[in-house]
Amino acid sequence: MSNAAVTAAASSQTNDAGKSALARLSAAFIGRLVIIIPYLWLVFFFLVPFVIVFKISLSQTAIAIPPYTPVLGFGDGFSGFLAQLKQLSIDNYTWLTQDALYFNAYVTSLIVAAISTALTLLVGYPIAYGMARAPATLRPTLLMLVILPFWTSFLIRVYAWIGILKPEGLLNQLLLATGIISQPLIILNTYTAIFIGIVYSYLPFMVLPLYSSLEKLDYSLIEAAKDLGCPPTSAFWKITFPLSLPGVIAGCLLVFIPAVGEFVIPDLLGGSQTLMIGKTLWNEFFANRDWPVSSAVAVILLLLLIVPIMLFQRAQARAQEQDK
């Protein structure tokens, strides 16, 4: 082989190696970019707003626009920033511990959210189970019917329940016409109306994760259990429900977290007597114009929701490591 041919072959191998290295680098960059984008989303739309709210919670109320004294600014240079840092106080958080209103609002919100989540699970599980056991050709239609309420405004759907639940509403008219009751039921402006509104509004968030888990279930395991003499109820609790736990947990979190801070449903269906942290937060922001205290309320609410979720995730990770 001539020197020219050897040189050409070496040059071709070098070019191929360079192209393969470039391809690997580009693939690695794309892979990292796919991971980085969700983190950037969380930073810009979760961490940055949280830092702003936390910063406001450390300030003091003022008759100004905005209605608080700015803190931790770099307008006076780094030395001014350090001076402001030394003057920070947690008076707003201390105030929350001294007023029973906020504690009761937190506790009531957690209880209402927990009961609503349990009711949504009781209603949503049979629906998801029926969808998963339905013929394959019928499942897309059933799935569309579950998603269909999202095509209508959330506010309009809540307002519709006012027309249904009020004393002269459709529900009382139907019950009176059939003779089931002799006088109208008082449902509107009670916690019962709040439970109905939350279950109705958040039911798709429970059904969809449950359906995703139940659809992947291997039903031959249930048939094998029946062949071995296991009753249907025992087969459900020993096989179906444990295998659907990921969907149950995901659905409960998707319902419980927004239900704790819900404002529209308690305000419209619960009336002025209901005490939930979402209404308290709105009153502090817009009625009292006390942004520092309301920011402190929001920070504590966020911590109450995030800390248990993080502890649960760690417990799950430890359980998976032990199983391995």
Side-chain angles (χ1 to χ4, degrees), residues 5-238:
V6 171
T7 302
S11 177
S12 176
Q13 291 178 355
T14 302
N15 291 334
D16 292 341
K19 290 180 180 179
S20 61
L22 184 62
R24 287 195 298 269
L25 288 174
S26 61
F29 175 76
I30 293 174
R32 292 182 179 180
L33 186 62
V34 171
I35 298 174
I36 290 173
I37 288 177
Y39 284 100
L40 291 176
W41 179 274
L42 290 175
V43 167
F44 284 111
F45 295 101
F46 175 77
L47 184 59
V48 172
F50 175 76
V51 170
I52 295 173
V53 172
F54 181 70
K55 177 182 173 182
I56 296 175
S57 70
L58 299 176
S59 63
Q60 299 297 324
T61 306
I63 303 177
I65 299 177
Y68 62 90
T69 56
V71 294
L72 298 180
F74 288 95
D76 297 331
F78 186 72
S79 60
F81 176 80
L82 292 178
Q84 292 179 0
L85 190 62
K86 295 178 181 178
Q87 296 175 357
L88 290 180
S89 65
I90 56 172
D91 293 342
N92 296 316
Y93 294 94
T94 305
W95 167 256
L96 296 183
T97 61
Q98 296 174 350
D99 194 338
L101 171 68
Y102 303 102
F103 178 78
N104 294 333
Y106 281 121
V107 173
T108 304
S109 298
L110 292 174
I111 293 174
V112 169
I115 296 175
S116 301
T117 302
L119 293 175
T120 308
L121 178 61
L122 290 176
V123 175
Y125 201 101
I127 296 174
Y129 186 82
M131 291 171 58
R133 297 302 300 267
T137 55
L138 192 59
R139 292 176 190 174
T141 303
L142 297 176
L143 190 63
M144 185 194 68
L145 292 176
V146 172
I147 303 174
L148 193 62
F150 288 120
W151 296 1
T152 307
S153 170
F154 174 77
L155 192 60
I156 293 176
R157 287 186 280 131
V158 176
Y159 267 114
W161 276 105
I162 297 177
I164 296 173
L165 299 177
K166 63 184 180 179
E168 63 277 9
L170 297 176
L171 178 61
N172 278 312
Q173 289 182 5
L174 177 63
L175 295 176
L176 289 170
T178 54
I180 297 177
I181 59 175
S182 58
Q183 57 183 1
L185 299 175
I186 305 300
I187 302 177
L188 194 63
N189 297 331
T190 64
Y191 282 102
T192 302
I194 295 177
F195 294 142
I196 293 174
I198 292 178
V199 170
Y200 167 76
S201 300
Y202 292 104
L203 186 61
F205 294 103
M206 180 67 75
V207 172
L208 294 178
L210 287 172
Y211 170 73
S212 178
S213 295
L214 291 170
E215 188 186 24
K216 301 174 184 176
L217 185 66
D218 187 2
Y219 291 99
S220 61
L221 298 175
I222 301 175
E223 294 176 359
K226 290 181 180 178
D227 293 340
L228 294 174
C230 183
T233 304
S234 299
F236 173 80
W237 289 112
K238 292 180 179 180

Side-chain angles (χ1 to χ4, degrees), residues 241-302:
F241 189 77
L243 292 178
S244 65
L245 274 179
V248 172
I249 295 171
C252 289
L253 290 177
L254 287 174
V255 173
F256 179 80
I257 292 174
V260 172
E262 181 60 51
F263 163 72
V264 175
I265 294 174
D267 186 59
L268 295 180
L269 300 182
S272 59
Q273 301 300 321
T274 56
L275 180 64
M276 290 188 68
I277 199 62
K279 290 184 64 176
T280 305
L281 193 62
W282 188 91
N283 288 330
E284 292 293 344
F285 259 114
F286 298 102
N288 299 336
R289 297 282 293 173
D290 196 342
W291 287 23
V293 170
S294 56
S295 298
V297 172
V299 170
I300 293 178
L301 176 62
L302 188 62

